[in-house]
Amino acid sequence: MARAGVVWWPAALAFIALEFISVEAGTEVLRPRGVPLIRAPMYDASKAFTCFDGSNQIPFGYVNDDYCDCHDGSDEPGTPACSQGFFHCANRGFRSVDIPSSRVNDGICDCCDGSDEFDDKITCTNECIEMGKQMREEAEKQIIALRLGFEKRQGYIETVKTRKAEKLAALAALDTQLKDLENQKAILTQTRDDAEAPETIAVQKFKEAWEATKAEREQLLEKSHAEDAFRAISADPHLLSKENLLEKLGKEGETLDEEIHEAIHRLSDITLDVFTTDMWPKIKEVYKKLRDIPAHAPTAAPTEESHTTTASADDDHLDDYEKEYDEDRHLDEENKEDDHPDNDNFQEDLNKMPEYDPETKALVDAAEKARRELKDFEKRFSDLENEKNGLKHWLENDYGPDSVFAALEGECFEYTDREYTYRVCPFDKVVQRPKDGGSDTGLGKWGSWEDNYTTMFFNDGARCWNGPARSTKVLLECGAENHVGSASEPSRCEYQMTFQTPAVCSQPPQNVSDHLGLHDEL
């Protein structure tokens, strides 16, 4: 399509639209103003120009004629005619850049070489050389830092390799040790079982003898109390009269039925055996409250003699005990309340099982020793198993490429802003605490890797008020030192930090141009 009243230019005249822009490998490259070197072949003055979007084909002389013939503006790279076009600043000595074509000849120097202002309305100083110098100086510093970071990363890898080899060796040694200890554990378990078998029999026998002795002593003592009560009531029938009971015990004295009261009145007609068997069980609690008779008396340990002593000997013993008890009971009636602790001790002494006999004690001590040795061994065995599990966890954990991030485990790094101090502990947790004091707030526990080992994600932190649990993303950047660079809360309860570390540093570029990505206009 051609504009009305305009004829095609001859090919020779078309070169007027070209200018010497760049020198590449000693060869001058002609291209229209505003065209990057990489697109120079698309502007061939020897033939018609085809719009990049294929919307039109025009004579090459129409290129940069300040009239927009292509919908994409590709025919006007060096004029402001097409609003959708772009002007390429070569900026030799600095970094080339594309700017909107509308900025061409607008009276503002957008290109550091001034090439966007060529209509003499304004004079632009070429600042590319100075800017390029500053950029290269900064880039050289960055390369030095990257190189140092990469060297440290290599050191991390070697350290982790050594640590991994040590842990593998320790794991193998623990496996062997635990297998050997399994046999020892079985021996100690059998030793304990062998010691507990006779212990169980002997202790059971001792307890049975003790219970029999205790029951026999309680029965004899109870009979003695019944006889004492029989004599006391026979001597003083008024003791258990309704009037006396009500006077001394109040409503508690109403517990005896009429049949008992009638029997008390004719106590002289009742034998001691009938009293002991029929009446004493019904009146003993009331009687004891009136006379404060202790329920039990202390007894001695069961012995072989305790089972063979004659009934008369027991009676003699109880008579002596009763006599001693009566003397104590009447010694000081005014201080009767002081005797109650002693009464409690009667029951305590009676129920307290005495020490084992020497033979039983020897069996108990032997079993206790076997149990203690097995328990100590099992504690040691459990500690070794925990150590083994810790080694396995470390060896199986994902520490990134070459396991390089294992060098950071166990370390913590802090960052302080105006309000808080943040602490990042890789593979553990992230916490926050106020600068002016206070407790830590959990911002997350170690969760997982994200973005191909460039982001650490910590979740399940302390829950926000009426909100979710806190979480943190730690964005990793290459740096010569481990350093938390920033901390923010872009969303409620969701935190983000930057962390510079040699662990993510890759092989640095060999020169400044490679680092800056400058391969054409420089």
Side-chain angles (χ1 to χ4, degrees):
M1 181 181 77
R3 289 173 290 190
V6 180
V7 297
W8 286 49
W9 292 6
L13 187 60
F15 278 93
I16 297 176
L18 301 177
E19 59 179 341
F20 294 111
I21 296 295
S22 178
V23 176
E24 184 74 14
T27 303
E28 295 179 350
V29 179
L30 292 173
R31 62 185 189 275
R33 185 189 302 275
V35 175
L37 181 62
I38 193 172
R39 287 187 172 180
M42 303 177 72
Y43 293 85
D44 187 351
S46 65
K47 56 185 179 181
F49 176 76
T50 301
C51 301
F52 291 170
D53 62 2
S55 62
N56 200 3
Q57 189 179 61
I58 59 176
F60 193 80
Y62 288 3
V63 175
N64 279 344
D65 67 348
D66 207 21
Y67 185 88
C68 192
D69 297 289
C70 298
H71 294 162
D72 61 2
S74 57
D75 64 312
E76 298 297 320
T79 75
C82 299
S83 60
Q84 68 273 34
F86 289 92
F87 179 87
H88 181 73
C89 304
N91 292 343
R92 282 174 289 180
F94 188 57
R95 188 190 299 275
S96 61
V97 64
D98 291 334
I99 62 173
S101 297
S102 59
R103 297 182 182 178
V104 175
N105 290 330
D106 64 350
I108 299 175
C109 300
D110 296 290
C111 303
C112 68
D113 60 3
S115 58
D116 60 312
E117 302 295 324
F118 52 83
D119 60 356
D120 297 329
K121 292 180 182 179
I122 184 175
T123 300
C124 296
T125 302
N126 189 334
E127 299 177 348
C128 291
I129 300 301
E130 182 60 28
M131 292 175 64
K133 179 181 178 182
Q134 295 177 4
M135 180 178 67
R136 283 172 169 77
E137 290 176 352
E138 183 61 30
E140 288 173 354
K141 293 179 182 178
Q142 292 176 0
I143 290 176
I144 292 174
L146 292 174
R147 187 176 294 118
L148 179 59
F150 180 72
E151 291 174 354
K152 287 189 175 182
R153 182 183 189 276
Q154 298 303 104
Y156 283 178
I157 293 174
E158 293 304 315
T159 299
V160 171
K161 283 182 179 178
T162 301
R163 189 181 303 174
K164 184 176 183 179
E166 292 173 350
K167 290 183 179 294
L168 285 170
L171 181 61
L174 276 175
D175 279 333
T176 301
Q177 186 177 4
L178 286 170
K179 287 179 181 179
D180 294 340
L181 292 178
E182 284 283 1
N183 297 329
Q184 188 176 347
K185 181 179 180 181
I187 294 173
L188 289 174
T189 301
Q190 186 61 51
T191 301
R192 180 203 61 186
D193 294 344
D194 292 343
E196 286 183 340
E199 176 206 33
T200 301
I201 296 173
V203 168
Q204 182 64 28
K205 181 179 179 181
F206 184 90
K207 288 181 177 179
E208 290 174 353
W210 160 244
E211 292 297 333
T213 299
K214 185 169 66 170
E216 182 181 354
R217 293 300 178 88
E218 288 178 342
Q219 184 179 3
L220 292 173
L221 185 58
E222 192 66 22
K223 181 179 178 181
S224 175
H225 288 162
E227 292 175 355
D228 178 70
F230 183 79
R231 289 192 295 268
I233 296 171
S234 297
D236 183 11
H238 179 69
L239 184 64
L240 292 181
S241 67
K242 292 181 180 180
E243 295 78 9
N244 189 47
L245 292 175
L246 289 173
E247 178 185 351
K248 299 290 183 62
L249 301 178
K251 290 186 178 181
E252 291 186 59
E254 298 178 355
T255 57
L256 297 182
D257 57 30
E258 289 296 329
E259 182 182 353
I260 298 299
H261 284 294
E262 291 179 5
I264 292 173
H265 287 304
R266 51 186 180 85
L267 194 62
S268 59
D269 299 331
I270 299 176
T271 65
L272 175 59
D273 291 338
V274 173
F275 177 84
T276 302
T277 304
D278 297 339
M279 293 184 63
W280 177 243
K282 298 177 181 180
I283 69 170
K284 64 179 179 180
E285 295 302 327
V286 173
Y287 180 79
K288 288 176 182 178
K289 288 179 181 179
L290 287 173
R291 302 299 299 270
D292 195 22
I293 298 178
H296 300 284
T299 60
T303 63
E304 291 297 327
E305 294 179 356
S306 67
H307 294 284
T308 59
T309 303
T310 63
S312 61
D314 286 330
D315 291 339
D316 293 339
H317 170 76
L318 288 173
D319 287 341
D320 293 339
Y321 168 77
E322 288 296 331
K323 184 184 297 183
E324 180 182 352
Y325 169 72
D326 287 338
E327 293 174 356
D328 293 338
R329 184 181 64 181
H330 298 292
L331 184 62
D332 190 359
E333 289 292 333
E334 293 181 358
N335 297 323
K336 187 179 294 183
E337 292 184 359
D338 295 337
D339 294 334
H340 287 293
D342 294 333
N343 294 339
D344 293 337
N345 290 335
F346 284 132
Q347 184 67 36
E348 179 181 347
D349 291 341
L350 182 65
N351 291 332
K352 182 179 179 181
M353 188 173 68
E355 291 186 1
Y356 295 119
D357 58 84
E359 182 180 353
T360 302
K361 188 175 186 304
L363 293 173
V364 171
D365 290 345
E368 189 61 38
K369 178 182 177 183
R371 283 190 289 266
R372 185 170 56 254
E373 289 179 349
L374 178 60
K375 182 179 180 180
D376 293 344
F377 178 86
E378 288 177 336
K379 174 64 170 56
R380 177 189 171 201
F381 191 87
S382 177
D383 290 343
L384 292 175
E385 283 190 321
N386 291 336
E387 183 179 352
K388 175 184 175 180
N389 292 334
L391 290 172
K392 290 180 66 177
H393 173 76
W394 191 95
L395 292 167
E396 294 170 359
N397 199 23
D398 185 1
Y399 292 111
D402 300 316
S403 297
V404 64
F405 291 99
L408 303 180
E409 188 175 36
E411 301 288 337
C412 291
F413 309 92
E414 291 191 349
Y415 171 81
T416 302
D417 62 12
R418 291 179 299 177
E419 296 184 67
Y420 298 100
T421 294
Y422 300 85
R423 186 165 74 252
V424 179
C425 304
F427 307 104
D428 186 8
K429 62 185 177 181
V430 178
V431 297
Q432 168 199 70
R433 69 173 179 272
K435 284 178 61 177
D436 56 358
S439 58
D440 289 348
T441 299
L443 303 187
K445 304 170 187 174
W446 170 244
S448 61
W449 288 106
E450 291 185 355
D451 304 324
N452 195 27
Y453 298 102
T454 60
T455 300
M456 286 181 161
F457 180 59
F458 297 79
N459 59 2
D460 197 24
R463 186 167 295 277
C464 288
W465 176 255
N466 287 334
R470 292 174 172 85
S471 63
T472 303
K473 287 189 175 183
V474 180
L475 311 182
L476 305 181
E477 303 171 350
C478 172
E481 303 291 339
N482 292 308
H483 171 70
V484 180
S486 65
S488 62
E489 188 179 3
S491 300
R492 182 170 179 258
C493 307
E494 295 180 358
Y495 298 80
Q496 181 172 295
M497 300 182 185
T498 59
F499 180 64
Q500 298 176 358
T501 173
V504 295
C505 292
S506 57
Q507 178 72 50
Q510 297 299 314
N511 53 61
V512 172
S513 295
D514 290 339
H515 177 59
L516 297 175
L518 306 177
H519 301 291
D520 51 358
E521 313 302 339
L522 291 178

